[in-house]
Amino acid sequence: MSDGAIDVIEKEAGAEPRNGERRRGIDRVIMLLEALLRHRAPMRVGDMAKMIGAPRSTTYEIVNSLLEAEMLENVGSEGYVYFGRAMHLFGWAYSHHNAHYRRIIETLDRLAAETGETVQLCGLRGNKYVVLDCRDSPGPFRISSDVGVEVPIPWTASGRLLLGHMNEEQLRDFIPAGDYKLPDGRIIAQAEFFADIATAGQQGFSETAALADRFTWCMAAPIQDGHGAINRTLCFVLPVDTPEPRRSELLALLRERARGLSLAGD
Amino acid sequence: MSDGAIDVIEKEAGAEPRNGERRRGIDRVIMLLEALLRHRAPMRVGDMAKMIGAPRSTTYEIVNSLLEAEMLENVGSEGYVYFGRAMHLFGWAYSHHNAHYRRIIETLDRLAAETGETVQLCGLRGNKYVVLDCRDSPGPFRISSDVGVEVPIPWTASGRLLLGHMNEEQLRDFIPAGDYKLPDGRIIAQAEFFADIATAGQQGFSETAALADRFTWCMAAPIQDGHGAINRTLCFVLPVDTPEPRRSELLALLRERARGLSLAGD
DNA sequence: ACACTATGTCTGAAATACCAGACAAACTAA
DNA sequence: TTAGTTTGTCTGGTATTTCAGACATAGTGT
């Protein structure tokens, strides 16, 4: 745990508070929750303080307030803290507040139950791709992923659909240069990526094989809103070695369901 | 404006609400989110301000901060605001952070898929009962309920299990007198309720027929933690007219699954 | 034993976040 | 039109919150 060199992570890129700057409690809360989400595991108050660059005393006060509100909760007995029950309730309220989202969730459930495969609902968050919800396939060796984790758009099948409305110039501005580099070091050529986007838009689906990792075959189909825009995709995450007939069967099913969820627009 | 429809949430936990006093932003945030949860629908900023008893200017500032963080989001174009995407992500992180909860969710999914009935995970929040998660039965006429809504404990089957560790005196202190009154005006006798609790604890399940409403038969089974305490229940919400054989079949299934989720303890 | 580091709580003091209230603009109803 | 309401924004002043730092205690490693 203790590294030799004591590099307290100087806050990442951009405007950071001058030494001895004061911040609002609200902003601290927001930073803290986002830090916790990125970290994806219970943290101790001291580490949170470092992560968000806040004084320890302040952090304790904030954390205690949030604990009392059940927005955070103690995990274990060693001072670790993570999201609390209230968050679950707020989040649930969010995802059910409109009928369209509810239909999407039901479809997700049905697709998962019928096929036994991992199904995801995806979208964008800023200039990254995120899994908004998912149903993991059952069985001991599932391929699964965490909701809320941000991934470079070019790594994903869904990303190729979600960017369909942009022209090349917009795309160049939108996607950070580093995001073309895959985890294994390969680089995706911009021209190829742009061509993929065009193709995906035309055929109304997108597939990637062993792109972000070696063992998955992803297929995505667009959910269109009332104006024909694509903000969400439905997608299957399959083992790469899934045989072709099964794949096309699943793709057809996915496209049909995604079309069923698209709003009026036609 | 007539404030008939809007209840003011006086802050319960923490500092006392002296009239016209200054409050911290954090506390305002907490009150605001709780108010929004209770209201269960998008609200306008002005109404929120009234609900939490905050000045409008302050409320605008807070809401804008939360909007920027995606903890809230605009709904429609008329200034309505509701929970945002970040809440969904936080909530998802909460409900998956520990393996036990994940197992519970899987069981919920399986139970719903196998039986086609409405299944719920229930617990306490303060001195009220809440549905923590649920899977609604499919079909046009489902019996469903909202996650996060608080209900008086005596109205519920699960409540009878969740209070099993309390003696009569503690129960009397814990449950507000008004909570014995059912929506249709009937009053549950305390003695009877206490007896129900004892019975539920002995038999390891609890059932209620047409209690909180006229059309549901509820059955609940306890999930025990490592110390044998009951913090959660699994429960079916059935139509009252479900035939007896089907009911006992479901009850057996429910008890078996809940037992499977209970932790080592013995 | 020692030296170090981290936790959780308190305190005084100053920077500022919150509040009251004003304002223009939009909307409603007569 | 007028009169009344509500929305969203802005400003100045001050009551309060954030901050730095100290402290006792607990844990870790040599």
Side-chain angles (χ1 to χ4, degrees), chain A residues 243-263:
Chain A
E244 205 291 311
R246 169 77 170 157
R247 284 207 317 263
S248 44
E249 175 196 337
L250 288 172
L251 179 59
L253 182 63
L254 188 73
R255 296 185 64 191
E256 177 200 315
R257 293 294 163 82
R259 220 172 9 244
L261 287 173
S262 296
L263 297 177

Side-chain angles (χ1 to χ4, degrees), chain A residues 37-151:
Chain A
L37 182 66
R38 276 205 311 270
H39 194 254
R40 277 206 164 263
M43 291 174 78
R44 318 192 74 177
V45 182
D47 295 323
M48 289 181 174
K50 276 194 199 106
M51 263 209 148
I52 65 176
R56 270 170 358 97
S57 50
T58 304
T59 311
Y60 271 103
E61 232 188 56
I62 291 174
V63 168
N64 286 332
S65 290
L66 296 179
L67 282 173
E68 205 176 329
E70 297 191 89
M71 289 176 61
L72 296 180
E73 84 185 15
N74 282 109
V75 176
S77 47
E78 305 268 293
Y80 283 88
V81 168
Y82 203 50
F83 294 112
R85 269 215 302 213
M87 285 303 188
H88 175 63
L89 302 180
F90 298 154
W92 196 93
Y94 164 75
S95 56
H96 289 255
H97 78 108
N98 85 41
H100 187 221
Y101 203 105
R102 273 200 299 272
R103 280 180 56 217
I104 293 178
I105 298 290
E106 275 168 31
T107 302
L108 216 56
D109 282 330
R110 268 221 314 283
L111 272 177
E114 289 168 13
T115 66
E117 304 288 352
T118 295
V119 201
Q120 302 182 330
L121 174 69
C122 308
L124 297 183
R125 183 169 154 86
N127 59 4
K128 300 289 180 201
Y129 154 101
V130 275
V131 179
L132 296 169
D133 213 329
C134 71
R135 295 295 177 275
D136 294 337
S137 69
F141 296 109
R142 69 183 51 167
I143 293 175
S144 67
S145 60
D146 278 337
V147 163
V149 175
E150 303 185 352
V151 173

Side-chain angles (χ1 to χ4, degrees), chain A residues 118-239:
Chain A
T118 295
V119 201
Q120 302 182 330
L121 174 69
C122 308
L124 297 183
R125 183 169 154 86
N127 59 4
K128 300 289 180 201
Y129 154 101
V130 275
V131 179
L132 296 169
D133 213 329
C134 71
R135 295 295 177 275
D136 294 337
S137 69
F141 296 109
R142 69 183 51 167
I143 293 175
S144 67
S145 60
D146 278 337
V147 163
V149 175
E150 303 185 352
V151 173
I153 299 174
W155 299 8
T156 67
S158 295
R160 287 162 170 69
L161 288 166
L162 292 164
L163 298 182
H165 59 291
M166 290 190 177
N167 62 38
E168 296 211 358
E169 192 189 332
Q170 292 174 310
L171 286 170
R172 253 185 284 273
D173 290 346
F174 190 63
I175 301 198
D179 283 7
Y180 291 98
K181 183 169 180 185
L182 292 166
D184 62 4
R186 282 179 296 162
I187 307 268
I188 298 174
Q190 273 203 9
E192 210 173 304
F193 179 57
F194 294 167
D196 280 0
I197 293 176
T199 313
Q202 275 160 27
Q203 46 182 27
F205 67 88
S206 173
E207 291 186 290
T208 61
L211 191 63
D213 54 62
R214 290 193 328 284
F215 48 89
T216 55
W217 183 293
C218 300
M219 48 181 69
I223 300 176
Q224 302 188 336
D225 69 11
H227 310 295
I230 300 172
N231 295 315
R232 300 281 141 87
T233 63
L234 225 45
C235 93
F236 274 126
V237 181
L238 312 172

